[in-house]
Amino acid sequence: MKQARGKILERTALVLLAGIALAGVAPVYAQGLVPTNFFNSPVDPNAPTAVEAQQLTFNNTTNIIEARGDVVVRADGYVLTGDQLVYDRANGEMDVRGNVSLTDPFGNVSRSPTLKLTDKFKKAVLDSLTITNYDGSQITADHADYDQALKTVLDNAKYTPCGECVDDKGRRIGWSMHANKVTKDESDGSHAFEQPSLAVLGMPIAWLPYLWLPNLDMDWLPQPTVTFTDSHGVRIDAPFKAYSTASTDILLSPRLMSRQGFMLGAEWVQRFDNGRISVKATGLRQGDDSAFTFADAKREWRGALQTAGEFVPVEKWVVGFAYAAATDNAFYKDYDVEVRRASINEVYATHLTEDTYVDARVQQFNVLGDNLEQERQQQGMALPNLRLERTFDLPPGAGRVEVDGRMLNIYRERDYSTSANGVPYDYGYAGTRFHGMVEANWQNQYIFGGAAVTPFLGVRADAANYDGKSPSIHAPDEQTLFGLTPIAAVDVRYPLVSYNTGVTHLVEPIAQLVYRGAANSQPGITNEDSQSVMFDDSTLFSYNRFTGIDKQERGLRLNVGGRYMASLNDGSYLEVIGGQSYQLAGENAFAAANRQQVGVGTGLETDASYGVLGVYGALANQLKFGGKVQVDNADLSIARAGLGLSYAQDGWSGALNYRYAEATPLTGNIRDMHEVGAEVRVPIADYWSVTSNAYWDLSANSFLQVGGGLQYDDGYVLIGGQITRTGPTHSTANDMRAVATFRLRSPAGFNLGYSGNVQLPGVAQ
């Protein structure tokens, strides 16, 4: 009898639910079978109704609107939940599907796999829409009309990136955008807003009678910045995307300057199935050419053209080009025009797979800034610049073979020479020089009693030519040379690992023995691509520390040192790497005299190099630190050092930075670099913090930079102001600026606002 009574109640409840609660009319209930308040409260379609879901989609093809993921409908005391809400516009049906639960105003609950909404309940859902997105943002509207074929209309619509935008203490945070009506045209993605307004921290700050945007992509919105410079005056930039389709974009970059007038940049981007091209033109008629001292800048019309393209003609291959031309090379710098690829005109092809890399380029290098024709003639052209890398994995246990090929042919019209405090530098000679190199090597790793031993065998072939067209007495004569370099090396490491009470320790002694039987440490005749060397813990265990192919190490060299690491279960760690390098036999390539001063002051010039040490670590992901030091073992003096220390927790943050490099007169550097600085952020209230920074030039006993500011940041709204003053030895000396920042953000990645700086008067340039 009880089982039969339960079935009667269940059938009666479902009938009442479908025919009464969802129809929005008061039920007639059976006396004695159900309580008097069992699903008998009528639905008022004019009462506030909210629909929440993780995702809302509108399919033009099927004419169906879907809300998916944790769907919740609240209407006049009723709470309806399910996995999916489906509105079929063609037949007017609205269903809730999957784990459906309906709770009436009195707490009665009914569950079923599916539920059909009709009449007043359906109207209530459409007339009061609230969508809570997965990132916490929220869209509300009093009425949603999807009945027009290609349009969606929301009445009294509001968007907030932070839900209710009220924190746990009841304070307003974030920002919101409201409009009396929002109409979205599905055919082109455009949006029309009637009387849109913007509120920040609950306070309205902006209003427009009407706003039309081609797309709600943030690129459509102008992103204005305001700055001031002596040469431009007050400057307002407002770049935005003016037109966009699946294959075409047009971007405009208007700029208004009180001293120079109006400048416009326009870029056309065209996309294809297998690539894209872009063309950007920027220009203006100068209002006051006396603002610039460089002769080429004193002209009425100035501008630049930049174009680039990239295509994938076949799988794994990319071909492209880039070209830029300007009325004068100082235009980019004078008007802060985005350089992009303007510094290199080139045509290239690149092939990349898991084991092969090919890159072929023809390049012309443009010298940007205030430069004369003579300086531009010193810049070389790569005709061509080729690179090939190929890896061959041998059968298991047999190791790996690597092949590396390079070819660089450079033409330069004029010698490129200069000096620093009387020390000469020849960066390149006039004429045409060619250098090709191919290196093949084999290596494999073996384990002997816990030691990891990696032998390395290789051979390098070089071919070089120079036509001797330079008039410099220091330039080489016309010549051709060929070279063959056998290479043999072995890397031995003995890692020792232990674990104790939540800490893993690794101690790893390392020794490398490297032999390069080169006849000359400079196989390229002239040195174009190996003009810098850095010796620290990152290059300690390297078989060749030169950056290019025009120079190489020579003779027999021993690198010794080790690594220690301690890793804690909470993510904290400490890593120490250190050691030294020794020239055991043959010529020390870093001590060889050269007109590029390569190797001088690196710590590798003597047979026993400087000692190098690197220390890095973190504590509970709050305190992070890192440091490098280079020590002259002859007198234990420090040649170079750097230290960085940072801390961040609960809004508090700080950083300490230190840098030192001793003077090296042989390179023309006659002054020690010795700087120390600190940066601090202190929270003074919820969302509010004070920032400050100070840097001091210890060598000159003068401040380098000092500044401070105030910032509000609740995660959605950022408002800040800061003043910075530089000292006499700063790269921008004696400069004081005020920086203001205002940004609106959302979890989905929207980041729009203003950031600008104004130079304060009364400060020497």
Side-chain angles (χ1 to χ4, degrees), residues 379-416:
Q379 194 65 38
M381 291 188 291
L383 308 169
N385 183 1
L386 305 179
R387 182 169 182 172
L388 166 66
E389 295 179 5
R390 182 76 162 88
T391 300
F392 301 90
D393 288 321
L394 302 179
R400 169 181 291 183
V401 172
E402 296 178 346
V403 178
D404 184 4
R406 311 277 183 92
M407 186 175 75
L408 182 60
N409 187 70
I410 291 182
Y411 169 76
R412 182 176 280 105
E413 190 171 348
R414 186 185 292 266
D415 289 339
Y416 184 11

Side-chain angles (χ1 to χ4, degrees), residues 10 31 74 80 106 111 121 143 155 255 283 298 307 357 403 431 436 505 571 604 659 677 689 712 720 740 756:
E10 181 179 2
Q31 292 286 348
R74 295 183 175 89
L80 175 63
F106 302 101
R111 293 181 174 88
F121 206 118
H143 177 78
D155 290 331
R255 175 185 297 173
K298 292 183 175 296
T307 180
Y357 174 67
V403 178
H505 300 273
L604 289 163
R659 292 187 299 171
S689 61
Y712 171 89

